[in-house]
Amino acid sequence: MSICQLGNLQEKEQPEQINDQTEDEPQQKEEPTGLSPELLTSEKKVEPSTSNPEVIKIQAWWRGTLVRRTLLHAVIRALVIQRWWKNILTKLMEKRRRAALETFTRNEWAAVKLQSWVRMWRIRRRYCRLLNAALIIQAYWRCHSCASRGFIKGHYRVTANQLHLELEILLGSGPCVVSECIPLPIKQ
């Protein structure tokens, strides 16, 4: 038997309602009988016939289908909520990670900058001391001229990590050239 035939069979087995009015019949007024409406309706209810086992199987199958569909919809809704919550947590963790990374980077950058400033200050202080000493020596040599002893002149050159010093001493017998390279202790 097919499902359509069973549906038609169910419709034939169900009784029609007793109180249905046809169009040509006049409407009758119901007189109060003093009985409660529950009692009146309980007499009119007719239980469907459950003697056919195929009908029972189809009804059980349909109820199972409805329950499965309801559970499926509940599971899908739960999965949608879980996915949404997981996305929210992922975005929140990403924001926290980015904030921690920016704070760490800012602190590291400040430490590196401070260290470079201290190194620069120390190297500049040493350079200024050497420059001052060279200027004093130069001024002394330029002003020191003795006819009997000779003449002293010199120059210097400062590179990234050395001080080159060249002296030329002119005496009566001949020139004497002294060249000296002084390394500057610069941390690489």
Side-chain angles (χ1 to χ4, degrees):
M1 219 178 226
S2 71
I3 294 176
C4 294
Q5 291 173 347
L6 285 175
N8 292 336
L9 213 161
Q10 279 183 333
E11 290 175 4
K12 290 177 186 175
E13 290 178 5
Q14 291 181 355
E16 296 179 7
Q17 292 184 357
I18 300 170
N19 290 337
D20 286 347
Q21 301 279 335
T22 58
E23 293 178 15
D24 52 353
E25 289 181 15
Q27 196 174 25
Q28 297 177 353
K29 291 185 180 178
E30 293 182 16
E31 296 182 13
T33 56
L35 298 174
S36 67
E38 290 84 23
L39 292 176
L40 291 175
T41 55
S42 65
E43 292 173 5
K44 295 177 187 174
K45 285 186 180 176
V46 178
E47 292 293 323
S49 133
T50 57
S51 61
N52 193 347
E54 292 171 347
V55 171
I56 293 173
K57 285 182 182 178
I58 290 173
Q59 288 174 345
W61 170 81
W62 183 246
R63 280 193 302 272
T65 303
L66 290 177
V67 167
R68 281 190 296 278
R69 185 183 301 163
T70 304
L71 290 175
L72 179 66
H73 288 303
V75 166
I76 290 172
R77 288 182 190 117
L79 287 175
V80 167
I81 292 170
Q82 288 173 351
R83 188 178 305 127
W84 171 80
W85 183 244
K86 187 177 180 182
N87 286 340
I88 293 294
L89 287 180
T90 304
K91 288 177 184 176
L92 187 63
M93 290 301 291
E94 180 65 25
K95 279 184 182 178
R96 286 181 184 166
R97 188 190 67 77
R98 185 173 297 278
L101 182 64
E102 287 175 359
T103 303
F104 174 76
T105 305
R106 201 175 307 121
N107 291 343
E108 286 296 312
W109 180 250
V112 167
K113 198 79 159 164
L114 186 62
Q115 288 171 356
S116 70
W117 286 343
V118 168
R119 277 197 309 271
M120 181 185 69
W121 175 74
R122 290 179 65 201
I123 290 169
R124 180 162 173 77
R125 196 174 72 178
R126 180 160 172 81
Y127 170 77
C128 288
R129 273 190 279 158
L130 289 173
L131 182 63
N132 192 25
L135 289 175
I136 291 172
I137 293 170
Q138 270 184 345
Y140 177 74
W141 288 334
R142 286 184 184 144
C143 294
H144 183 70
S145 175
C146 181
S148 64
R149 292 186 181 164
F151 187 77
I152 300 174
K153 69 178 186 177
H155 66 277
Y156 72 95
R157 183 180 59 199
V158 179
T159 61
N161 57 1
Q162 289 182 345
L163 173 65
H164 296 282
L165 190 61
E166 291 184 20
L167 299 173
E168 186 177 340
I169 303 170
L170 299 173
L171 296 174
S173 63
C176 176
V177 178
V178 177
S179 189
E180 186 74 31
C181 287
I182 302 170
L184 300 174
I186 297 176
K187 186 175 182 180
Q188 295 290 331

